[in-house]
Every structure is written in structure tokens, then in C-alpha cells.
Amino acid sequence: MSKLVIVESPAKAKTIKKYLGNGYEVVASMGHVRDLPKSKFGIDVDNGFEPVYTEIKGKEELIESLKKEAEKSDFVYLATDPDREGEAISWHLAHMLDLPLDDANRVTFNEITKTGVKSGMEHPRSIDIDLVNAQQARRVLDRIVGYKLSPFLWKKVRRGLSAGRVQSVAVSLVVDREKQINSFKPEEYWSIDAKMTAPSSKKQFDAAFTGVDGQKTELHSQAETDKILKRIEGADYNVTEVKKSVRRKSPAPPFTTSTMQQEASKKLGFAAAKTMKAAQTLYEGVDIEGMGAVGLITYMRTDSLRISDEARAAAYEYIGKAYGKNYIPNTPKVYKSKSNAQDAHEAIRPSMPDLTPDRVKDSLTPEQYKLYKLIWERFIASQMANAVLDTVSVDIDANGCNFRATGFSVKFDGFTVLYEESKNEEEGKVLPNIEAGDKLKLKAIEGHQHFTQPPARYTEATLIKALEENGIGRPSTYAPTISTIVNRFYVERDGKQLRPTGLGEVTTELMKQHFKNIVDSKFTATMESDLDKIEVGKMNWVDSISEFYDDFADTLSKAEQAMDGKRVRVPDEETSEVCEVCGKPMVIKIGRFGKFLACSGFPDCTNTKRIVKDTGGVCPKCHKKVLQKKSKKGKKYFGCEDNPNCDFMTWDTPVSDKCPKCGDGTTLFKKGGKMFCLKEGCGYEVAIRKEK
């Protein structure tokens, strides 16, 4: 028999073909093949919100090829990704290829390994229509919000804007945080820090003021602090109590999609989209030297913390061999998923725990290797024994003023030998041997002024955490949501921080005034919960959409009446640059393609120009400024300000150091661990010294 297996990507097709062997043809649909039309609404509101699907433009040849392959096959398996989106793609393929919807032709793979593929093929089922309906409901919801609300924003703010069920809430979170920062009023507080030595050692240790006469005391001014310092002048520092205990520190659980994106952002500096792209390739399969195409991790869109018994056993086998049996926990580590987690898949883990990062490093790109190493170490550590810490707390009295010193030492490193989610600077700070009744020697004492700090701006990691905690979106939506709000200029990156643009602020304010539910996190979370109910057959998707639409249509009508004849102005960002045409200040505006400089005298003066960043570098060809620029694909490069008269450009980064060989002010450039001169004929090069 000839059997056809349809997956989503060529990489996945290649890996699966390797395990299925002869008798199977494996082809890729390249994602969705049908969708709502781009040029019109595509939803019959008066007929049960029936979606009108059309073939995706540009996929005509692919669709025809899939039909021909299906016609000449005795049986067709639909093996798209194991989630709502994958189920919907299989459903669309079944309609397009005239496959019976009740056929047991749907197979899913939690991991693309020989075992995972064999298990999936041995358990075919019919298409899960509840899962499909959940995807349809989400798609219809997003189309209603986007198609109906975006034109309103075009008329009232600016053409080309968009609104979205999840994206608008994400922007609102960033805008609200910025308001909290701007309205924050710092409060003064003080601390008193002492350095002491014990009778048993000359090594100094730190102790902090905690209170007076056993009562916790906060210091709010220098006067209060000076009063305490005066009270303890010449006082004896006596140890009143020493508490020793043992603390067990548990490893972090294996990754879910959210925690993987957060940790990759913190530890690797990866954007969420970059993390998901690398994870997708690791799941679908990578050519490993000596092994061929191998899927290195389990499915990367999951919010479950469940681990299979086989994976746990494989982890224990590796841990025992690599670290010893005492690093295997006495009882299995079982992590509890959050209450609304979808438990169809395991947590993200290596598909073959014995395949260490070092073994596959030469076959992976740097991004793939870094992410695989993070996933592998997190999973192996999650199955290791707890770390055991000896802790000590020392209470000290000085004329009724109380101080405390704390210290930690590692009794057994456990999982920390491999991986820690975050380092605690206090851990490993060993105190000398101190006993109750000891008289300590004061070496230094000083009061320090502090001010309370405003809440931090969101980073990608903390925004993803906030979305997850508020029940907004699902694992598959976090990365595209952040990409969308940045690409559409509602939010901009400032290093790792996310800050709202003027466009994001005025749009959010308009939405809050007229479409409160759309930017309300609780309302959006309830809609997400409804989608989950649809997925398990506990809610009818048409009823859910109907309930939303009636209220939304009424709200939209009222907003259009309230805003009739009105427009919202996006504030310009002032700059110190002066228009060379008319002499008025230049301002920063946001257009379809991003920020640009425009004369504040518009419409009398229409002068505009690109925003460029002076790097401080000096062009090695003509000695003019080197500017940071962006290619059409958005990649950063560096070029002479006198382009096109001077054609100098490079991907290498300018530095402030001058070339000592040329001696004419030409600056050096760097790449990797070297700095070098790019002036023709120079050839100067030096290694970059690393600071200790």
C-alpha cells in the first residue's frame, strides 16, 4: 500500500520520512492552506457566524500537488502539529482533499523521534472537531475585532492601525506600567550597615540594623539614623542568639512555553520570536552528525509540567552515570501544572536525555545550541536531588539596638551542580564560627540613604509572565503578540525594556474610553477560558461568538456616534535638531515604516529625513562620521554619512579606540574578540582584553 503523510514543514517531513521508511510518502503543507479572505470580512454574521474560507493566495501549485499525491495514495494521514492550530490545518486539508472527517487518519507526535513517530502512527484517531471549533472561534473573534475596530482607528487616529483581542491588552499593560512609573513619588529610607569580626576569625562579615529593643524599626531620615548611630557609639556588640538550620532548595520545573521564553530572554537575551523559531527547528528535526535528522526536543507549545515515566527514567540513568546515585532524588520529582493548563503534551524537554549539548553542538547553529543547552540543563536539573544548605542567623545587640548577620554554606550542591534559575548573591557567604555570648569587634559602621524605586518597565520576559498570570493568550500567542505590538509601533524597545510610544498611549486611551472590554485583562481572560471550554466540548462556539458580537456591535455603534467628526492627535516627540530648510525644530513622527524626522512647521514646510544614529566612529575612507543604519530586512549595519559620495559600509561595529598605526584619527572596528583597522593597506589588529 502507498500511504501519504502530510505534515506542516519540510524539516519535519524529512525527519519523519527517516523513521517511516518505504511505503510512506511524507509531504509538507507549509502551514495553513485555507483561511479567511484578506480582502473582505469573510464571516456570515446572519448565518451562525459561518466562516467563508478561501485557498491562501500563492499556494495554488502546492495545493494542486497535495491533491495529486492524495489521489494516488491508498491512505492519507494528517500529521500536523498537536494543537488547535494543527488540528484546524488537518481539518482544512481533509475538506480540500475530500477525506471523510470520521476517518481515523489524524496522527500527532509529541516528539519527532523513532519512538514518538511509531507511537503516533500506532494511535490514529479522527479529527477532533472540538479542537477545530476552538481554533475557528479564536480566528472569528480576532477577525471581528480586527476587521471592525481597525477602520475606526484609521478614521480617528491614523490609517494603517490595527487592534487585536490580545495585542490591545498587551499594549495596555505597557501603557499602564509607564503611567505608574511617571506618577511614582520616591520615598526616602535609610539603612545602617556594619562590618564586624568574631573572636574566632579576623575575616570581616556584614551585619544590618533591624530594630530597637526587639522591635522592627524603619528609618526614614538622616536624623533618625544619626540618633541610632549616636546611641551605639562605644557600645559593645554582643551575640544574643545564633540560629542554625538546614534548608533544602528545590530545582525549577521543566520548561513550559512561557517559562522557556522568559528564561531565554533573561539568560540568552533572545526575543520571544527568536526563541520560538529556534525551538521549532529543534522539535521538527536537525541533521545530527552520525545520526541523521533528529527531533531534539518535545513539542514546544505547552503549558503542562507533566513528564513521561520513560523520560524520567532516562534522566535518572544519565544523572546516575554523570554525577552519582546520590544526585537522584529519593522520590520522583512531580510538578503540578497550573489549573487551566492544557495537559495534552508534556513539558518541554530533550527527546533523548542522554544526547548532551556537547554531543550535538557541532551540528547546531549558535542559537539552536544555546537554546537546546538551556532546555536540556533545565530538564535534567528538574529531575535531580535538592540542594542542601546550612544556614545561620546571628542576632546582635548594641545598647538595645539590634543587628542581624546571615550566612549560607552548601552542604550538598544537588541540582545546582548543573543549573540554577537565578543566582542568590547571599548564598555561599560563609560566616565565621560564632556562638551566643560572643563579643564582636566593630570594624566599620555607616548609614546609607536610599529611595524607593518605581516599578520596572516590562521586558519581554516580564510581559510574557504578566500575560500568562492574567490568563491572556496561550503559549502559541505570546511571541507573535509582542512582535506585532513592536512592529506596529505601539511599543518600542529600549535595550531590554519595553516602553509605549505616543501612538500606543493615545490608542490605548481611546480604546479605554470606548472599548473598555477589549483592553480589560479580566474580560480577555474570560474569553480565553471560553475557548478552552469549546476545546473540550463544554461550550458551543457559535453561542460564545454571538454573545460577544451583540455587545461589541452595540459598543462600536456608540463609539462612532460619540467620535463623529473628531480625531485624536498623536503627540510628536521633540528633538534638538533644526530644520535646514526653514530653521524650525524637527520632531519625530511615526509613519507606516517607522519613525522619521519631520519639520514642526508642517504643512508650510514639508521637509522630512531619516533618523540616523551617530556611532562616534570615523570613516576609514573619507574621515566623516560613521552612522548606524538598517538594511531593508531590518539588519543593523554601519556606513559613511556621505553616502552615496562615499561607499564605505560594514557589518563590523565601530569603537572609540583610534588606530595607533594610522595616527590620523581613524577609529577601529570590532568583531568577535578582535579590534582592527579597516583603512585600506593598514592591517592593524589587536585582541580585545577581557576585564577580570
Side-chain angles (χ1 to χ4, degrees):
M1 289 182 70
S2 169
K3 297 175 183 177
L4 178 68
V5 180
I6 304 178
V7 298
E8 286 173 87
S9 76
K12 192 175 174 184
K14 180 181 178 182
T15 313
I16 291 172
K17 172 66 177 171
K18 168 189 165 184
Y19 297 123
L20 292 179
N22 296 329
Y24 289 89
E25 187 63 39
V26 187
V27 296
S29 72
M30 308 299 291
H32 278 277
V33 288
R34 294 199 313 177
D35 197 7
L36 296 173
K38 283 191 174 182
S39 56
K40 56 185 179 181
F41 188 39
I43 298 167
D44 190 347
V45 174
D46 299 322
N47 189 25
F49 297 93
E50 186 72 26
V52 180
Y53 294 114
T54 59
E55 292 182 1
I56 293 175
K57 195 173 181 180
K59 286 199 168 185
E60 295 84 2
E61 286 186 20
L62 172 65
I63 290 168
E64 193 59 36
S65 172
L66 290 173
K67 287 180 178 178
K68 287 179 180 177
E69 289 290 345
E71 284 173 5
K72 67 182 183 182
S73 301
D74 296 312
F75 196 82
V76 179
Y77 287 99
L78 303 172
T80 50
D81 282 352
D83 56 14
R84 286 179 194 168
E85 215 66 33
E87 203 74 15
I89 293 173
S90 285
W91 182 76
H92 284 298
L93 285 167
H95 278 279
M96 189 172 284
L97 304 176
D98 293 324
L99 304 176
L101 291 177
D102 56 356
D103 266 12
N105 59 3
R106 175 76 170 115
V107 292
T108 58
F109 312 121
N110 186 52
E111 60 186 43
I112 313 293
T113 60
K114 187 174 183 179
T115 302
V117 171
K118 182 182 177 184
S119 174
M121 295 301 292
E122 286 176 349
H123 298 90
R125 57 170 173 81
S126 59
I127 290 171
D128 186 336
I129 198 64
D130 290 330
L131 211 56
V132 173
N133 285 340
Q135 190 275 343
Q136 286 199 105
R138 183 200 63 78
R139 188 72 185 93
V140 169
L141 263 177
D142 290 346
R143 173 54 64 101
I144 289 171
V145 174
Y147 208 89
K148 297 289 186 181
L149 193 48
S150 296
F152 175 82
L153 295 178
W154 298 355
K155 288 185 286 185
K156 303 306 170 189
V157 185
R158 199 190 70 203
R159 284 196 65 81
L161 297 184
S162 69
R165 191 175 50 87
V166 176
Q167 102 181 27
S168 296
V169 180
V171 176
S172 180
L173 287 173
V174 177
V175 169
D176 289 346
R177 178 59 58 88
E178 196 71 17
K179 284 183 178 178
Q180 291 170 8
I181 293 168
N182 292 336
S183 63
F184 180 81
K185 293 179 180 175
E187 294 181 4
E188 182 182 11
Y189 70 98
W190 286 70
S191 64
I192 299 175
D193 304 299
K195 292 189 179 297
M196 304 178 182
T197 58
S200 61
S201 171
K202 292 183 179 180
K203 185 179 178 182
Q204 291 185 10
F205 63 91
D206 298 324
F209 170 76
T210 58
V212 177
D213 297 328
Q215 298 294 314
K216 185 179 178 182
T217 305
E218 293 181 351
L219 303 173
H220 299 286
S221 66
Q222 184 171 358
E224 291 178 5
T225 305
D226 288 343
K227 187 177 178 181
I228 297 294
L229 290 171
K230 187 168 184 61
R231 177 170 171 171
I232 57 179
E233 275 183 15
D236 291 335
Y237 288 79
N238 299 307
V239 177
T240 57
E241 187 177 13
V242 177
K243 296 177 184 175
K244 293 182 179 180
S245 61
V246 174
R247 182 163 71 90
R248 285 171 172 78
K249 185 178 178 183
S250 300
F255 281 134
T256 61
T257 305
S258 168
T259 54
M260 176 181 70
Q261 291 173 350
Q262 291 174 51
E263 196 75 345
S265 174
K266 287 186 274 190
K267 284 196 169 182
L268 306 178
F270 283 10
K274 183 176 182 178
T275 298
M276 293 309 290
K277 184 179 179 181
Q280 184 86 34
T281 60
L282 293 173
Y283 164 70
E284 291 181 344
V286 181
D287 278 318
I288 303 298
E289 190 175 347
M291 298 178 70
V294 177
L296 290 176
I297 64 170
T298 53
Y299 193 54
M300 66 289 159
R301 293 187 181 95
T302 179
D303 50 9
S304 170
L305 294 176
R306 180 173 57 82
I307 290 295
S308 70
D309 292 339
E310 293 82 0
R312 184 175 288 107
Y316 287 173
E317 185 177 351
Y318 175 82
I319 294 164
K321 287 179 181 176
Y323 299 103
K325 289 186 178 180
N326 56 329
Y327 283 84
I328 299 173
N330 294 326
T331 55
K333 297 281 185 185
V334 178
Y335 299 95
K336 188 177 180 181
S337 303
K338 57 190 174 82
S339 58
N340 63 340
Q342 306 294 301
D343 203 46
H345 314 299
E346 292 183 55
I348 302 169
R349 62 167 176 81
S351 54
M352 291 172 278
D354 63 337
L355 208 54
T356 65
D358 285 344
R359 285 181 60 187
V360 299
K361 183 176 183 179
D362 292 341
S363 301
L364 304 180
T365 66
E367 289 79 13
Q368 289 171 339
Y369 168 73
K370 288 175 184 176
L371 186 61
Y372 180 68
K373 185 172 185 287
L374 193 69
I375 292 168
W376 185 89
E377 289 181 348
R378 173 81 163 223
F379 170 69
I380 296 295
S382 76
Q383 302 306 305
M384 294 176 76
N386 293 344
V388 181
L389 306 174
D390 282 329
T391 69
V392 60
S393 174
V394 179
D395 288 334
I396 305 156
D397 177 83
N399 194 22
C401 296
N402 313 130
F403 288 79
R404 178 169 290 167
T406 56
F408 304 79
S409 61
V410 178
K411 188 174 184 179
F412 174 61
D413 52 10
F415 74 92
T416 64
V417 72
L418 176 63
Y419 177 92
E420 282 191 84
E421 189 173 24
S422 57
K423 296 282 186 183
N424 185 335
E425 292 179 2
E426 292 297 308
E427 288 175 10
K429 186 175 73 174
V430 181
L431 292 181
N433 185 40
I434 301 173
E435 301 293 339
D438 280 353
K439 185 177 179 180
L440 305 176
K441 190 171 184 179
L442 180 68
K443 291 293 185 180
I445 190 164
E446 192 174 356
H448 295 103
Q449 184 185 38
H450 309 274
F451 291 93
T452 54
Q453 296 297 308
R457 286 193 179 95
Y458 284 112
T459 62
E460 283 208 8
T462 56
L463 183 57
I464 287 169
K465 186 176 182 181
L467 291 170
E468 183 184 35
E469 287 176 346
N470 285 283
I472 301 163
R474 278 291 175 260
S476 59
T477 64
Y478 302 136
T481 295
I482 291 175
S483 295
T484 296
I485 65 176
V486 171
N487 292 340
R488 290 179 179 166
F489 311 110
Y490 292 120
V491 168
E492 61 186 359
R493 290 189 175 93
D494 182 2
K496 280 193 172 185
Q497 296 181 336
L498 298 172
R499 68 163 76 207
T501 62
L503 177 63
E505 289 175 337
V506 299
T507 305
T508 297
E509 189 58 36
L510 182 65
M511 296 281 284
K512 284 184 175 182
Q513 286 178 11
H514 299 286
F515 302 93
K516 190 176 180 181
N517 281 348
I518 300 297
V519 289
D520 180 67
S521 58
K522 289 182 180 178
F523 179 83
T524 306
T526 299
M527 292 300 302
E528 209 67 58
S529 177
D530 287 350
L531 293 176
D532 291 343
K533 291 174 184 175
I534 294 166
E535 182 172 318
V536 294
K538 292 183 178 180
M539 181 177 281
N540 181 281
W541 79 273
V542 176
D543 292 344
S544 174
I545 298 295
S546 179
E547 186 179 337
F548 168 80
Y549 185 78
D550 291 344
D551 182 64
F552 176 76
D554 183 55
T555 302
L556 180 60
S557 176
K558 289 177 179 176
E560 287 174 335
Q561 291 174 25
M563 290 292 292
D564 186 35
K566 300 176 184 177
R567 283 186 68 86
V568 177
R569 183 177 174 273
V570 179
D572 296 326
E573 193 177 330
E574 296 181 359
T575 74
S576 58
E577 288 206 38
V578 175
C579 176
E580 62 270 28
V581 176
C582 71
K584 290 184 178 179
M586 298 290 279
V587 294
I588 295 175
K589 291 181 177 288
I590 300 176
R592 285 180 61 196
F593 304 105
K595 290 187 173 184
F596 64 95
L597 284 170
C599 181
S600 60
F602 180 85
D604 297 329
C605 178
T606 58
N607 182 33
T608 63
K609 56 185 180 180
R610 288 190 307 161
I611 296 174
V612 293
K613 183 178 178 182
D614 184 0
T615 65
V618 176
C619 176
K621 282 192 172 184
C622 69
H623 285 196
K624 291 189 177 180
K625 294 178 181 178
V626 174
L627 306 178
Q628 179 181 306
K629 302 182 179 184
K630 277 189 177 180
S631 69
K632 288 182 179 179
K633 291 186 177 180
K635 191 173 180 181
K636 182 171 67 176
Y637 73 97
F638 304 93
C640 182
E641 68 171 339
D642 198 25
N643 181 276
N645 296 322
C646 177
D647 63 357
F648 173 75
M649 68 81 62
T650 181
W651 301 109
D652 304 325
T653 306
V655 296
S656 58
D657 301 55
K658 304 290 191 293
C659 177
K661 185 175 177 181
C662 291
D664 59 359
T666 300
T667 49
L668 299 175
F669 291 75
K670 70 175 181 178
K671 185 178 182 180
K674 293 182 178 180
M675 292 193 300
F676 39 83
C677 182
L678 289 178
K679 189 170 183 179
E680 191 173 347
C682 176
Y684 176 79
E685 187 177 283
V686 64
I688 297 174
R689 288 185 299 177
K690 292 184 179 179
E691 293 184 10
K692 294 183 179 179

